[in-house]
Amino acid sequence: MGLISISGTRQVREIHFNELRSAICDLLVELFTLCGKYQDEDKIKIFGNALANDLPPRYPGLTLADLQVIFKNAITGQYGEVKAIDLPTLHKWVRKWQEGRPGFERALSEGLAGFHTSGSVHVNWSKECYKAYRTYLQKGLKVSDISHWLYDRMQIDGLIEMEAYRALIGKAAQYLVEEPDEMSQTQREIAKRMVVINVFELKKRQGIDELYRMHKDDV
């Protein structure tokens, strides 16, 4: 796609809504032009507005340059034949791009840092949060599948409120009775893992596909 020059590394969550909507509309005009589709201005405005609302919470690490690459991939048939351009199709292209990024499958195949993982071990916890949430979306996770250190990373990044685990201390005590293999864990650590699972479930219901973004240095 060569009609518009898009550069920079600003993520969509960092761009003011009006600026983001305008840039997305420009990219959509280019997309319709190169696909030989009729450019319905009202439809482009509707799509631009919807994507400017939907993309930041679902794909916070996405950039406009990424979106241009996605549209280019679609035009060249990498996501199948372009029969129509509508919102479900646009979202499908973004999802396919995300899942096709280098290192995506390899990262998920590495497995997760479990509840026995020590905080003193060098672990990229942002990457672990990414892997855990993507795994949760694909097949679900149990409290025993994850580390409480995810909670600490997500709290630092504003995804979990301070001391949110306190509300689940009682449930954590019952969990210890049901899962004696985890007696080495404190109620606080278990409550933190419960909070992480609850946040994952909330974000899933909100339609959010990505909490953290994989970078080339993470894979």
Side-chain angles (χ1 to χ4, degrees):
M1 297 176 76
L3 300 181
I4 301 174
S5 177
I6 295 290
S7 62
T9 58
R10 275 200 307 165
Q11 300 172 343
V12 291
R13 63 181 170 184
E14 301 170 336
I15 304 174
H16 186 275
F17 176 80
N18 289 337
E19 180 185 352
L20 179 60
R21 178 179 57 189
S22 177
I24 290 175
C25 284
D26 288 343
L27 288 175
L28 287 169
V29 169
E30 183 179 43
L31 172 66
F32 276 77
T33 298
L34 295 178
C35 284
K37 304 290 186 181
Y38 171 69
Q39 293 182 32
D40 185 321
E41 291 186 11
D42 290 337
K43 180 183 292 186
I44 288 175
K45 288 180 181 178
I46 291 171
F47 289 175
N49 193 74
L51 290 176
N53 274 307
D54 295 344
L55 293 179
R58 292 190 179 189
Y59 307 94
L62 186 76
T63 68
L64 287 172
D66 291 333
L67 190 59
Q68 187 173 43
V69 169
I70 292 168
F71 289 171
K72 179 179 179 180
N73 290 346
I75 291 170
T76 56
Q78 293 189 38
Y79 307 138
E81 181 183 355
V82 182
K83 297 181 178 179
I85 300 177
D86 51 29
L87 279 174
T89 298
L90 293 169
H91 279 294
K92 181 181 71 175
W93 291 348
V94 177
R95 186 171 63 252
K96 284 182 174 293
W97 168 83
Q98 174 187 274
E99 295 175 353
R101 294 206 308 266
F104 179 87
E105 291 297 337
R106 184 169 74 250
L108 294 184
S109 69
E110 292 173 358
L112 302 176
F115 67 84
H116 287 303
T117 303
S118 169
S120 63
V121 176
H122 179 67
V123 175
N124 182 333
W125 288 107
S126 293
K127 177 181 177 181
E128 286 301 317
C129 289
Y130 169 91
K131 289 162 52 181
Y133 185 60
R134 292 301 305 172
T135 301
Y136 180 83
L137 292 180
Q138 289 184 359
K139 58 183 181 182
L141 287 172
K142 301 189 297 294
V143 173
S144 58
D145 293 329
I146 61 174
S147 167
H148 70 275
W149 293 104
L150 298 182
Y151 174 103
D152 297 312
R153 178 71 263 173
M154 292 169 67
Q155 180 178 276
I156 290 172
D157 294 332
L159 292 168
I160 293 176
E161 295 182 1
M162 290 288 291
E163 300 190 341
Y165 71 88
R166 291 185 179 276
L168 295 179
I169 287 290
K171 289 186 177 180
Q174 180 59 36
Y175 178 84
L176 278 174
V177 173
E178 298 171 356
E179 301 289 341
D181 290 343
E182 291 203 38
M183 289 301 293
S184 62
Q185 302 291 293
T186 67
Q187 287 178 226
R188 182 173 67 173
E189 290 168 346
I190 292 170
K192 284 184 174 183
R193 289 189 271 136
M194 289 178 167
V195 172
V196 171
I197 295 296
N198 287 348
V199 171
F200 284 177
E201 175 58 28
L202 173 63
K203 298 302 182 182
K204 179 182 178 181
R205 290 201 304 268
Q206 292 174 341
I208 295 174
D209 296 314
E210 184 179 72
L211 292 184
Y212 287 79
R213 184 177 184 187
M214 288 276 285
H215 297 280
K216 63 179 181 180
D217 295 334
D218 294 333
V219 299

